[in-house]
């Protein structure tokens, strides 16, 4: 069966997830396909995740002496498994055919194991989808709060984008663990509402 380069990347990921190929073979084939053969349109999420996997694949070494001689230069099998797992979890979360339970588990696992900007962006996106279930939205909000708490850094602009179940779960955790963050959120929310009310009143006067 002839596969396009993009199809081949997904095929390689599936083989590796199912433990049908070793990390070295996966990395060699993924690196070659992504860097030399791929000429198809990718979604923004695919572009970011495939590039991340390809970076790890290009600098993978199965040899312990490489890691001892050049610490931090080469990636390990654990690094490969980590980026492949992230891609798999995000795929589940974005797949319209995944069940609510599968999406919920994926949202929780992403919050437990990852804290990069792409993970945060996907959790935000899914939490605000109109057709997403309340359980999944809540888990997305919970995972975002766990990420911020773990990093000891919160993004108020992102927090203000959350709504309903996602916002409720995020604020519950934040209020319990960092009340100063919660107080600052309330202050910013109040200022935003005051600005919106002032803007609306000005519009009515001009009209």
């Amino acid at each position: 069966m002839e596969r396009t380069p993009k199809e081949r990347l997904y095929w390689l990921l599936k083989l590796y997830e199912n433990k049908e190929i070793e990390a070295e073979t996966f990395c060699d084939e993924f690196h070659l396909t992504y860097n030399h053969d791929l000429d198809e349109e990718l979604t923004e999420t695919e572009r970011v995740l495939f590039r991340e996997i390809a970076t790890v694949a290009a600098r993978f070494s199965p040899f312990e002496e490489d890691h001892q001689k050049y610490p931090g230069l080469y990636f390990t099998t654990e690094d490969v498994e980590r980026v492949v797992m992230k891609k798999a979890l995000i795929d589940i979360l974005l797949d319209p055919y995944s069940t609510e339970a599968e999406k919920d588990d994926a949202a929780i696992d992403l919050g437990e194991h990852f804290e990069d900007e792409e993970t945060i962006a996907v959790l935000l996106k899914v939490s605000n989808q109109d057709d997403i279930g309340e359980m999944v939205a809540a888990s997305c909000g919970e995972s975002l709060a766990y990420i911020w708490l773990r990093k000891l850094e919160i993004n108020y602009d992102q927090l203000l984008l959350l709504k309903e179940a996602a916002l409720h779960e995020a604020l519950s955790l934040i209020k319990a663990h960092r009340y100063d963050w919660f107080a600052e959120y309330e202050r910013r929310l109040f200022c935003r509402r005051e600005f919106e009310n002032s803007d609306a009143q000005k519009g009515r006067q001009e009209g």
Side-chain angles (χ1 to χ4, degrees):
M1 175 183 175
E2 189 70 24
R3 295 182 176 87
T4 67
K6 181 175 173 178
E7 289 172 340
R8 182 171 175 79
L9 292 176
Y10 276 105
W11 176 66
L12 289 167
L13 285 164
K14 185 58 65 179
L15 290 178
Y16 187 70
E17 289 169 26
N18 293 337
K19 303 188 184 305
E20 295 179 42
I21 54 175
E22 298 294 326
E24 187 171 8
T25 301
F26 168 78
C27 288
D28 288 344
E29 295 297 327
F30 197 97
H31 167 68
L32 287 172
T33 302
Y34 179 85
N35 288 286
H36 300 286
D37 300 331
L38 186 64
D39 57 0
E40 298 165 78
E41 285 288 325
L42 300 176
T43 67
E44 178 62 19
T45 300
E46 285 175 332
R47 185 183 64 78
V48 172
L49 294 176
F50 281 159
R51 183 177 60 194
E52 182 179 11
I53 296 170
T55 298
V56 172
R59 287 167 43 203
F60 168 77
S61 175
F63 305 112
E64 183 60 34
E65 55 266 31
D66 286 341
H67 298 284
Q68 292 177 352
K69 190 173 182 180
Y70 306 104
L73 179 61
Y74 293 102
F75 289 106
T76 65
T77 299
E78 289 74 22
D79 295 319
V80 177
E81 291 175 352
R82 183 173 174 80
V83 292
V84 170
M85 179 174 74
K86 186 173 85 170
K87 175 72 171 66
L89 292 173
I90 289 177
D91 282 348
I92 291 170
L93 202 51
L94 296 178
D95 187 349
Y97 297 104
S98 297
T99 66
E100 288 292 294
E102 289 170 338
K103 287 177 181 282
D104 190 57
D105 288 342
I108 293 170
D109 288 342
L110 281 169
E112 287 183 358
H113 299 288
F114 304 97
E115 55 189 37
D116 57 280
E117 288 305 312
E118 182 60 24
T119 296
I120 291 172
V122 168
L123 289 169
L124 279 169
K125 175 183 177 180
V126 172
S127 74
N128 284 323
Q129 287 177 340
D130 292 334
D131 59 346
I132 202 67
E134 185 175 317
M135 178 176 69
V136 178
S139 291
C140 287
E142 182 180 64
S143 286
L144 285 165
Y146 275 129
I147 290 171
W148 291 324
L149 290 166
R150 194 164 61 241
K151 294 174 70 175
L152 302 178
E153 181 182 6
I154 187 169
N155 186 313
Y156 290 104
D157 291 335
Q158 292 173 340
L159 179 58
L160 286 163
L161 290 174
L162 296 178
K163 55 188 180 182
E164 298 176 0
L167 179 62
H168 176 76
E169 288 299 317
L171 288 180
S172 294
L173 277 170
I174 290 168
K175 188 176 182 179
H177 296 280
R178 287 295 301 265
Y179 192 82
D180 56 323
W181 288 3
F182 177 75
E184 175 62 15
Y185 163 78
E186 294 241 291
R187 186 192 70 79
R188 293 185 182 219
L189 183 62
F190 175 79
C191 290
R192 187 173 75 171
R193 286 173 176 169
E194 285 289 294
F195 175 80
E196 290 172 350
N197 290 337
S198 174
D199 202 45
Q201 185 176 9
K202 183 181 177 181
R204 286 194 297 269
Q205 290 172 350
E206 290 177 350

